Amino acid sequence: MRKALEGVRVVDMTHVQAGPVCTQLLAWMGADVIKIERPGGGDVTRSQLRDLPDVDSLYFTMLNGNKRSLTLNMKADEGKEVFSQLLERSDIVVENFGPGVMDRMGYTWERIQEINPQIIYASLKGFGPGALETAKAYENIAQATGGAMSTTGFEDGPPVVTGAQIGDSGNAVHLFGAICAALYQRTHTGRGQRVQISMRAGILNLCRVKLRDQQRLEHGPLAEYPNEEFGDFVPRSGNASGGGQPGWAVRCKPTTEKGANAWVYVVIQPQVWEPLMHKIGRPDLIENPDYATPEARLPHLPDIFDVIEQWTLTKTKWEAFSELNAINVPCGPVLSTKDLIEDEGLRAEGVVVAVDHPERGTYSTVGCPFTLSDSPVEVKRSPLLGEHSAEILEELLDRPEGELERLTAAGAV
Ligand code: CAO
């Protein structure tokens, strides 16, 4: 079966997390993704956070599956010649270097268009035009500057970053969508285009509801927040739901000595109020005027979740989930990374996937989070550094046999 992006070639100039996650998605959709890496070390993540000596780290292998690797010295003339030739024969080029790096290499948007007017040139940076434009950015800088940190955590504690890598992997998904849209538009116009995203803009997109609340705040306190006092900005609101239905994480009976993740998240929809109160043994609250309607409940949410917790503390998180789910209460156990990596259901679903690697053996990775009925994803291992250099030079760029050795001696690959 043909894949959604079969026949599409991507020159992948990405490194670290944000860019590689985007190009991995393109590769899973069937694009031929050629990862360009500096000779010698390659993407810095190959050797960062290693769990085993001298093999590509999980940081690298989990973000670079299904790609081919070509080493290229972008500061050598012959390296640039190879790169230009690749651009001529490709559909997309993606990069997430620091500001100005591609221009300094000699590849401005104007130059790239001259080489191939049909190419889509996608860049991810920390920031768009303005005061922060020239700044480099990592995940937590994006979370700090995009509104995620100031709104995460508890009121009386410091700003907190989320475990989910919304600045890097989150923005990779934005970029993937933008590239696919540009590719589709090209089918009408025949032209490539410039695609740009800043990590901060992407975070702000994910913090949309917090900007909603900033504007609601002008008209009075946010009644559904657990906070008692409000200033002139949206406060951190702990585990409050952020939506129109109140929610909170409540403790459960621990199953391990530490029980660090013995919690279940519970949302109180109006229609489940009565069965929920019956379930937890508090039918007296159903008609109590302080609790009977969603509006009446708002000032009492901490008390209500305390009452629910008295019940959940007598159940494990899975028992609590299954009993509440049975009466249609929206809820979910707080699952640890250990819970998730051992989850047979996630493996059956193809979300957690085992992959064989010639140097590190079998490792687990996260597969494609979505499915297309006509474009099944086969998760393959990441390439070794320069593993495909010879085949790309000879088969794709029509260079003569032995070109790899010659260019290596010249310091270009
Ligand atoms: N051959 C030769 N040189 C190469 C090369 C190659 N194949 N690939 C990269 N380089 C060189 C570049 O030319 C550049 O050198 P100059 O500064 O002399 O022009 C340098 O390597 C890369 O620079 P950089 O600024 O991208 O890298 P850094 O490690 O200093 O910064 C990062 C990393 C992530 C902070 C920066 O790339 C960045 O801000 N990227 C945009 C935002 C982003 O993606 N952040 C998410 C990172 S994931 O947490």
Side-chain angles (χ1 to χ4, degrees):
M1 190 184 284
R2 282 181 66 87
K3 301 281 172 71
L5 296 182
E6 208 167 306
V8 171
R9 183 165 301 116
V10 180
V11 181
D12 180 4
M13 295 289 278
T14 68
H15 66 153
V16 203
Q17 184 181 165
V21 168
C22 168
T23 51
Q24 181 168 258
L25 287 166
L26 293 167
W28 282 337
M29 290 298 103
D32 176 16
V33 176
I34 299 175
K35 185 166 173 103
I36 312 288
E37 294 179 84
R38 200 194 312 244
D43 188 329
V44 67
T45 60
R46 282 191 188 264
S47 56
Q48 278 180 338
L49 311 178
R50 272 186 173 148
D51 56 325
L52 297 171
D54 303 326
V55 302
D56 289 336
S57 70
L58 288 165
Y59 194 6
F60 179 84
T61 56
M62 291 178 73
L63 272 46
N64 289 284
N66 295 50
K67 304 179 186 177
R68 298 201 279 170
S69 169
L70 166 69
T71 51
L72 214 50
N73 180 359
M74 291 297 292
K75 291 189 172 161
D77 288 344
E78 287 204 275
K80 290 184 197 204
E81 277 170 31
V82 171
F83 184 70
S84 295
Q85 208 185 348
L86 261 179
L87 291 182
E88 283 168 15
R89 297 173 192 206
S90 298
D91 302 278
I92 300 165
V93 55
V94 192
E95 63 92 18
N96 68 316
F97 290 126
V101 169
M102 285 291 280
D103 291 0
R104 288 200 290 280
M105 285 176 180
Y107 291 94
T108 59
W109 172 218
E110 291 70 28
R111 176 73 191 118
I112 289 174
Q113 273 178 301
E114 264 169 32
I115 296 170
N116 181 353
Q118 292 192 320
I119 206 158
I120 289 155
Y121 173 25
S123 292
L124 178 144
K125 303 288 163 212
F127 306 97
L132 299 169
E133 188 173 0
T134 54
K136 291 180 177 177
Y138 282 104
E139 171 70 47
N140 294 346
I141 295 172
Q143 289 198 30
T145 54
M149 262 186 97
S150 71
T151 54
T152 305
F154 285 83
E155 194 176 17
D156 52 358
V160 173
V161 294
T162 68
Q165 304 282 285
I166 56 178
D168 285 335
S169 291
N171 278 316
V173 180
H174 285 126
L175 189 59
F176 170 73
I179 290 171
C180 289
L183 205 53
Y184 182 70
Q185 192 171 13
R186 194 181 72 168
T187 62
H188 305 302
T189 63
R191 279 197 316 278
Q193 62 180 297
R194 185 85 171 99
V195 174
Q196 291 174 283
I197 182 169
S198 80
M199 292 170 82
R200 180 159 76 148
I203 294 272
L204 208 48
N205 184 40
L206 302 175
C207 286
R208 188 168 289 269
V209 299
K210 297 299 178 184
L211 279 241
R212 172 201 67 194
D213 290 348
Q214 177 63 36
Q215 296 171 83
R216 290 174 63 228
L217 198 52
E218 288 165 20
H219 304 284
L222 304 168
E224 75 285 3
Y225 275 54
N227 314 59
E228 284 176 7
E229 287 176 16
F230 289 86
D232 58 0
F233 55 85
V234 176
R236 294 189 266 288
S237 56
N239 288 317
S241 85
Q245 314 284 13
W248 198 251
V250 287
R251 287 175 297 159
C252 296
K253 188 164 82 180
T255 47
T256 61
E257 209 173 299
K258 285 190 183 156
N261 289 296
W263 298 73
V264 64
Y265 197 91
V266 180
V267 174
I268 308 174
Q269 287 178 310
Q271 63 267 40
V272 301
W273 175 247
E274 191 177 331
L276 177 59
M277 289 303 108
H278 277 300
K279 168 57 70 182
I280 67 168
R282 292 302 302 269
D284 54 304
L285 298 181
I286 295 169
E287 297 296 341
N288 182 318
D290 280 347
Y291 299 90
T293 65
E295 295 69 33
R297 289 196 283 274
L298 280 178
H300 305 293
L301 288 175
D303 303 339
I304 293 171
F305 284 110
D306 274 351
V307 169
I308 295 172
E309 191 172 73
Q310 295 313 308
W311 178 81
T312 55
L313 275 168
T314 67
K315 314 277 172 188
T316 67
K317 62 187 175 189
W318 280 110
E319 288 166 353
F321 163 75
S322 85
E323 288 195 39
L324 294 178
N325 187 47
I327 56 166
N328 270 330
V329 173
C331 61
V334 174
L335 299 181
S336 71
T337 46
K338 185 172 189 301
D339 293 331
L340 293 165
I341 208 156
E342 291 174 355
D343 189 313
E344 289 305 322
L346 285 175
R347 287 189 187 261
E349 203 182 323
V351 177
V352 178
V353 186
V355 183
D356 282 328
H357 187 277
E359 292 184 344
R360 69 162 29 254
T362 304
Y363 64 94
S364 291
T365 191
V366 181
C368 188
F370 52 84
T371 58
L372 272 68
S373 57
D374 277 353
S375 186
V377 174
E378 188 192 343
V379 177
K380 296 183 188 157
R381 71 169 173 87
S382 60
L384 302 175
L385 182 61
E387 182 175 347
H388 305 95
S389 293
E391 73 180 39
I392 291 165
L393 289 168
E394 291 170 23
E395 291 166 24
L396 177 62
L397 302 180
D398 304 317
R399 301 282 180 116
E401 215 183 304
E403 184 71 342
L404 177 60
E405 290 69 28
R406 192 188 71 73
L407 288 175
T408 306
V413 299

